Amino acid sequence: ARAFADEVEALGLARQNPGFRSELARLRGEIAMAEGDAAGAVDLFRDALAHSPSAAQRMADLSLVAWAERAAGRLPAALEASAEAAELHAAQRLAPLENLDLPMLWWRRCEALRAAGRRREAEVALGRAYRFQCLRMAGLSDEGLRRNTLAKRPVARAVVLAWLAAGGRPRHLDGAVRLDERFGRQVDVG
């Protein structure tokens, strides 16, 4: 990923599109987090935040900043960034917004609040993360597809595990089951 990010930058694409600069900073920040460089990721995510092209992207970038700040051991900064993201979403009346990973936004808020020992507020944030995770999967027609979706996203797994550990009812697998679709997929695979 680092080599491809370097190649993209060398080609000059980042200079031609202002929105692309933030995408490149976000990508480099995620690479830094994967490499264990949380402090470096903070700088990159803050650069992406400075060039966020929309309110939704600003919320997402603030969530990334909170994640990296907490990993870097800077809890007050993580709380501040996650609070701003939560406030921006609350200003939207907690509406499910397209192109915004709301489970991630609320999970990062929950993590920061838990780390600060603010349990009640963390429970509220976890409830919101779980609600938005369930909404994201509402259109999936069977339990297997829902499980597959949850298994592929680290934040989704973390939210569901935290929800179950807190004694929440497992609604994430609820939904209409259409056996014809399920068996059709099995026949296609076979």
Side-chain angles (χ1 to χ4, degrees):
R2 181 182 295 286
F4 285 123
D6 290 345
E7 183 179 348
V8 165
E9 190 169 34
L11 291 172
L13 294 176
R15 292 180 195 93
Q16 295 173 14
N17 180 345
F20 194 77
R21 178 176 175 180
S22 64
E23 285 295 328
L24 187 59
R26 217 169 283 116
L27 171 63
R28 289 187 186 282
E30 291 196 37
I31 292 169
M33 286 296 286
E35 293 175 338
D37 180 12
V42 167
D43 294 337
L44 291 160
F45 289 145
R46 287 201 179 273
D47 183 43
L49 176 62
H51 299 94
S52 293
S54 68
Q57 189 59 59
R58 181 169 180 76
M59 287 182 252
D61 288 340
L62 284 163
S63 299
L64 292 170
V65 168
W67 175 41
E69 290 283 16
R70 191 178 66 77
R74 299 190 291 242
L75 186 56
L79 285 166
E80 184 180 320
S82 67
E84 185 178 345
E87 289 166 7
L88 287 170
H89 189 226
Q92 300 291 322
R93 298 184 182 181
L94 301 178
L97 303 171
E98 286 187 36
N99 301 321
L100 177 58
D101 188 348
L102 289 171
M104 190 259 304
L105 182 152
W106 288 103
W107 176 244
R108 299 303 179 207
R109 180 69 177 146
C110 175
E111 287 179 316
L113 290 166
R114 281 181 168 183
R118 294 163 55 181
R119 291 182 184 205
R120 181 66 193 122
E121 291 172 273
E123 288 174 13
V124 170
L126 174 60
R128 288 180 179 161
Y130 186 75
R131 178 178 146 241
F132 286 113
Q133 185 59 54
C134 290
L135 281 174
R136 170 179 274 171
M137 299 182 328
L140 297 178
S141 62
D142 77 38
E143 183 178 330
L145 288 174
R146 288 188 285 274
R147 286 183 188 278
N148 186 41
T149 297
L150 291 171
K152 291 185 177 183
R153 300 179 57 81
V155 167
R157 283 194 308 270
V159 167
V160 169
L161 290 173
W163 179 256
L164 295 175
R169 188 175 82 75
R171 296 186 320 255
H172 55 281
L173 298 177
D174 292 349
V177 174
R178 295 186 197 101
L179 293 178
D180 56 332
E181 288 180 21
R182 181 185 216 171
F183 291 122
R185 279 192 304 280
Q186 290 174 344
V187 168
D188 289 343
V189 169

